[in-house]
Amino acid sequence: AQSVTQLGSHVSVSEGALVLLRCNYSSSVPPYLFWYVQYPNQGLQLLLKYTSAATLVKGINGFEAEFKKSETSFHLTKPSAHMSDAAEYFCAVRINTGGFKTIFGAGTRLFVKA
Amino acid sequence: EAEVAQSPRYKITEKSQAVAFWCDPISGHATLYWYRQILGQGPELLVQFQDESVVDDSQLPKDRFSAERLKGVDSTLKIQPAELGDSAMYLCASSFFSGIATDTQYFGPGTRLTVL
């Protein structure tokens, strides 16, 4: 079954430091991958999505992710963390079940220290 | 900017009571999703509608949960009777058409349910 695994339930970085959130997928066919962000007591917001057009995907708020087929990874990065980036981040994969269904990872909570 | 609306935002109930959540998707979105998100976990799909038809309810506990989208617009999710384990965030999302792999889902703010 197709799924995503997020490595690290919690990540802590200092303000201005590199943010790296890890996601690995399992898929026998080219996957459709997404990153979402969730702020406390809010719904999820799409950060970016991989559609096979380009391996490096740029999203909102300065985030980007690189699709690496050889590593089955789709890690999320941001060069310089800001306090406002503190949130929960979810990696997700769309699978074809007749229509398309989204499977979410368990999430990684990002803490940003001043 | 159009948004997915949900109400109530918070609900506290006692076990064995009935609860209902309402969702109004973005206008023109044919697909509507209900997810359950347990604290510390990712959202899990409960039911997916295409217009007024259910296309996936494989994870919906049908003995106590029901969902409807009668006119293919807004939707109601009901739990009867509520159990302690139902305490979670219930998220509604909508998208233009689920038949597209890269279809973007837009989420509402969620309903936080606490069952006492």
Side-chain angles (χ1 to χ4, degrees), chain A residues 32 34 36 38 41-46 49-51 88 90 94 97-107, chain B residues 9-10 33 35 37 40-43 45 48 56 58 89 91 98-105 107-109 112:
Chain A
Y32 297 98
F34 302 76
Y36 289 85
Q38 185 178 33
N41 291 314
Q42 294 187 27
L44 279 69
Q45 180 184 9
L46 180 68
K49 59 183 174 183
Y50 170 69
T51 62
E88 186 98 23
F90 294 94
R94 293 271 280 180
T97 59
F100 283 91
K101 177 177 179 177
T102 302
I103 307 297
F104 289 87
Chain B
R9 290 293 310 276
Y10 302 91
Y33 312 79
Y35 289 91
Q37 184 180 21
Q41 298 182 21
L45 181 69
Q48 177 176 332
D56 188 337
S58 57
M89 175 79 90
L91 295 166
S98 66
I100 304 172
T102 56
D103 189 39
T104 296
Q105 295 179 57
F107 284 80
R112 169 79 61 190

Side-chain angles (χ1 to χ4, degrees), chain A residues 36-46 104, chain B residues 1-9 22-26 29 31-35 37 43 89-95 104-112:
Chain A
Y36 289 85
V37 61
Q38 185 178 33
Y39 297 100
N41 291 314
Q42 294 187 27
L44 279 69
Q45 180 184 9
L46 180 68
F104 289 87
Chain B
E1 181 177 297
E3 296 180 341
V4 176
Q6 288 189 249
S7 68
R9 290 293 310 276
W22 176 80
C23 173
D24 190 14
I26 293 172
H29 280 191
T31 308
L32 185 147
Y33 312 79
W34 282 103
Y35 289 91
Q37 184 180 21
M89 175 79 90
Y90 290 82
L91 295 166
C92 179
S94 71
S95 68
T104 296
Q105 295 179 57
Y106 295 85
F107 284 80
T111 296
R112 169 79 61 190

Side-chain angles (χ1 to χ4, degrees), chain A residues 101-114:
Chain A
K101 177 177 179 177
T102 302
I103 307 297
F104 289 87
T108 298
R109 180 163 295 280
L110 176 66
F111 297 91
V112 181
K113 300 175 292 186

Side-chain angles (χ1 to χ4, degrees), chain B residues 59-74:
Chain B
Q59 300 303 310
L60 187 72
K62 299 180 186 64
D63 57 334
R64 297 185 301 107
F65 286 64
S66 63
E68 61 182 15
R69 193 184 183 198
L70 293 177
K71 297 182 180 179
V73 182
D74 59 337

